[in-house]
Amino acid sequence: MSSTLKQLGLCVASALLAVITYASFGGRPADGSASPAAKLASYRLQTIALPGDGPVSPAMLYPNFVNAAAAVTPAVVNIKSLSGGGIQDIWSRERRIDASSGSGVIISADGLIVTNNHVIADGTDIEVTLDDRREYEAEVIGRDPSTDLALLKIDAENLPFVSFGDSDSLFVGEWVLAVGNPFELRSTVTAGIVSAKGRSIDILDDSYSIESFIQTDAAVNPGNSGGALVNTRGQLMGINTAIITRSGRYEGYSFAVPSSLAAKVVGDLIEFGAVQHALLGIELVDVTNSLAEDLGLATADGVYVRKVAPLSGAAEAGLQAGDVIVRIEESVIRSVPALKETIGRFRPGATIRLGYMRDGRLSTVRVTLKDAIDLASNAGNKYQALLRELGFELRDLNAEEIAKLPSEGVKVVSIYLGSRIDRTRMDPEYIITKVNRQRVRSLAEFAKVVEGTHVGEEVMLEGYYANFNGEYYYAFKR
C-alpha cells in the first residue's frame, strides 16, 4: 500500500512538473491551437451567469477572508475574569482565582471593549491581553444581563478596533468569520455562513431578556464568548455568545448577539451606565398556522397580542388583545424574538410607527415606548425621581412571579453604574422584601418607607435572589 501511494505521488508530481514546464515556456501545439495554460488563463477571465443574477466572475464565487482576518484579529482580545479566593500565598496577599475567561472586541482607539456579561459577571478583577500580548487591568463601564453584553475600558491609546456594521443587512447564506480565543488558542479565526436570524434558544434568565441571535455554522468553542462575528469586509456583525452542544464543544450551531442591538446597548452603557429598556407593554406569542387560520391571516407571520398592560404605550395607542403586529418602522415582524430585538434598539420616550392586523385589516399607529418604572404601577412617574436618586429601577412583581416565588416584594430591574446602590454590590433581579425591617410588597410601600428616612440616615434592605438560597442584606445612606 505504501509503495503504491508513493508511486502515485510521483506520478502526480511528474505530471504537475510537465504542466509547469510547458506553461513556463509558453508552449503552443503544432496545430496552432491555444496551449492548456492559455486556455486556463482564458477560462479565468470568463464570467458565469447565475440564475436570477447578473454575471459573476469565478473569483467572486470564492470569497477571500485574508483581508478581513488581518483587519479584525489585532482588535480581538483575551479576557480573564478573576476573583479573590481568600487563599493566602507566602507574601500574605490574597491570591486571585480565575472565575472565567473569554474574548472581547476593541471598538474604539482609546480602549472601549465589548464582551459578554457572562464572561466577566463572576469576577472582581478583569485582565485583558491584547493580540500583541500587552496586558491591562480593565474597568467595567456597565453590564446588561438582558442581552448578555458588557462594556469594558482599558487605559490605552491608538488601538486597532473594529467598526460596527449593520446586522440587518446580513443575508442567510452569507459568509461570516468568528474571531476569538477558544481553549486559550490566541487569535483564532473560523469561517461559516449565516444559518438563520432572529433565533431564540432560551438561555438568558432575565425579566427583559432579548434573544434574537444570528445563528451561524462558524466553529465557536469555550473561550470564543465575547469575540467578534464579522462579514468578509471586516465589519462587526455580532458578538459571539453561545453554542448548542451535548459535548460542551462546537457541534455546528453558534449564536451571536446582532450588532444593531449591541450598538444600542453600548451607547446606553456609555451614556447612562445601564441599559434603558424601552417597553411596548404587551404580552406576545408567535402566530401559528392554526392561529393564522382562526384569524383569517394569509400567512403565519407576525406576533399575536395576548394582553395589553394598562397605562402602557401600547394601551394608549389603542392596541388590543387579539391584534397581530406585523411591522415596526421599516422592519417586518415575523416572530417574538424579532420584535424584542427591534424594540430593544429604542430608548424609553421614543415614538415608533407600528403596523398591525385587526379583523383582517392592516392599520398603522404611533406608539410611545415607556420604561420599566412607568409600567411598574399606576403611579410609576411619582417614584421615578426617588429611584433615580438612589440609582436603580424597581417594579412590582407580576401575578406569575408572586405565585412562583417564596415571598412578595419589589424586584430590581437595573442598577446605574456608580450610584449608591451600585456601591452596595447589589445585582439586578434582587427582590426586596423589607426596608429597615418593615415589610414591603409593592413599589408604593418601598417608596413610603425610604421617603420616611432622613438624608444621611442608613437604609437597610433585606431580600433574596430567586436562584440562590438564603437572604441577602444591603445598606446605603440616604
Side-chain angles (χ1 to χ4, degrees):
M1 187 68 165
S2 176
S3 175
T4 303
L5 288 175
K6 288 180 180 177
Q7 291 175 4
L8 179 59
L10 288 173
C11 290
V12 172
S14 298
L16 288 173
L17 180 61
V19 171
I20 293 169
T21 304
Y22 187 82
S24 65
F25 280 93
R28 189 176 188 85
D31 61 6
S33 62
S35 68
K39 287 181 178 180
L40 181 59
S42 174
Y43 170 75
R44 285 175 176 161
L45 293 173
Q46 294 173 1
T47 60
I48 299 173
L50 296 179
D53 204 347
V56 179
S57 68
M60 292 175 66
L61 299 177
Y62 306 99
N64 187 332
F65 303 131
V66 174
N67 292 337
V72 174
T73 299
V76 175
V77 303
N78 179 258
I79 296 175
K80 284 190 176 180
S81 177
L82 308 170
S83 62
I87 301 173
Q88 302 297 314
D89 63 17
I90 59 173
W91 301 108
S92 298
R93 291 180 180 174
E94 186 177 45
R95 182 180 300 164
R96 296 186 300 178
I97 299 173
D98 285 4
S100 61
S101 63
S103 304
V105 186
I106 303 174
I107 57 171
S108 71
D110 60 351
L112 283 174
I113 297 170
V114 64
T115 185
N116 283 138
N117 179 59
H118 75 259
V119 170
I120 59 102
D122 296 327
T124 55
D125 299 289
I126 313 298
E127 282 187 0
V128 171
T129 304
L130 305 188
D131 182 60
D132 61 11
R133 290 187 165 81
R134 284 183 290 169
E135 296 182 352
Y136 295 88
E137 290 284 335
E139 172 193 0
V140 178
I141 300 299
R143 305 188 294 116
D144 181 41
S146 69
T147 55
D148 195 19
L149 293 175
L151 184 65
L152 311 178
K153 177 73 168 65
I154 59 173
D155 187 13
E157 299 292 339
N158 301 317
L159 296 175
F161 63 93
V162 182
S163 297
F164 278 95
D166 179 12
S167 55
D168 290 346
S169 67
L170 274 179
F171 291 97
V172 173
E174 185 173 340
W175 283 102
V176 285
L177 303 180
V179 186
N181 302 279
F183 304 118
E184 300 294 331
L185 297 173
R186 188 172 60 88
S187 304
T188 296
V189 180
T190 58
I193 63 168
V194 176
S195 305
K197 296 176 68 176
R199 189 73 84 192
S200 176
I201 55 177
D202 296 324
I203 61 167
L204 299 182
D205 184 19
D206 185 87
S207 300
Y208 301 101
S209 63
I210 301 175
E211 289 193 25
S212 186
F213 295 119
I214 300 168
Q215 180 183 334
T216 82
D217 64 355
V220 170
N221 278 294
N224 271 111
S225 288
L229 183 77
V230 300
N231 59 17
T232 54
R233 296 182 296 282
Q235 297 171 319
L236 188 63
M237 292 288 111
I239 302 298
N240 295 314
T241 298
I243 59 176
I244 290 180
T245 176
R246 290 186 174 87
S247 66
R249 294 184 170 91
Y250 172 74
E251 293 180 4
Y253 308 95
S254 58
F255 302 88
V257 177
S259 62
S260 296
L261 178 60
K264 188 268 181 182
V265 170
V266 166
D268 280 0
L269 294 178
I270 292 172
E271 188 171 349
F272 303 107
V275 173
Q276 308 298 293
H277 295 286
L279 304 172
L280 268 174
I282 52 181
E283 290 184 11
L284 301 167
V285 293
D286 286 326
V287 175
T288 62
N289 283 328
S290 59
L291 183 57
E293 290 179 4
D294 292 341
L295 297 173
L297 301 176
T299 68
D301 289 339
V303 293
Y304 181 76
V305 178
R306 187 160 57 185
K307 183 179 179 182
V308 180
L311 301 181
S312 66
E316 292 173 354
L319 287 174
Q320 302 174 7
D323 292 341
V324 176
I325 298 173
V326 295
R327 180 179 290 273
I328 294 176
E329 293 294 334
E330 302 305 320
S331 300
V332 176
I333 302 300
R334 293 189 170 92
S335 65
V336 171
L339 182 141
K340 285 186 173 183
E341 179 193 345
T342 303
I343 293 296
R345 300 175 193 171
F346 296 95
R347 289 178 176 172
T351 298
I352 61 170
R353 191 172 71 256
L354 183 148
Y356 66 96
M357 299 292 297
R358 180 187 296 172
D359 299 328
R361 296 178 59 185
L362 176 65
S363 300
T364 302
V365 69
R366 290 194 173 275
V367 181
T368 299
L369 303 175
K370 299 191 176 184
D371 63 14
I373 296 175
D374 293 327
L375 299 178
S377 70
N378 293 350
N381 287 331
K382 179 179 178 181
Y383 308 118
Q384 190 165 354
L386 172 65
L387 297 178
R388 294 200 185 282
E389 171 199 327
L390 301 179
F392 60 178
E393 294 180 0
L394 301 178
R395 68 171 176 84
D396 293 338
L397 296 177
N398 58 42
E400 182 180 349
E401 290 170 325
I402 291 172
K404 183 172 62 175
L405 294 172
S407 59
E408 292 185 52
V410 184
K411 192 168 190 176
V412 177
V413 176
S414 64
I415 298 171
Y416 299 119
L417 191 70
S419 67
R420 65 189 72 181
I421 294 296
D422 183 47
R423 290 192 290 272
T424 68
R425 309 292 291 179
M426 181 190 294
D427 288 319
E429 302 295 302
Y430 179 62
I431 298 170
I432 302 168
T433 58
K434 292 182 180 179
V435 179
N436 289 343
R437 302 188 181 280
Q438 296 185 49
R439 194 78 175 83
V440 295
R441 297 176 177 83
S442 67
L443 178 56
E445 292 179 358
F446 170 89
K448 182 179 179 180
V449 177
V450 174
E451 287 175 338
T453 61
H454 300 291
V455 175
E457 186 176 339
E458 186 172 80
V459 178
M460 172 70 74
L461 304 181
E462 300 177 42
Y464 64 93
Y465 293 94
N467 296 329
F468 299 94
N469 294 324
E471 288 196 327
Y472 291 77
Y473 301 81
Y474 299 99
F476 61 92
K477 288 188 176 180
R478 173 76 196 280

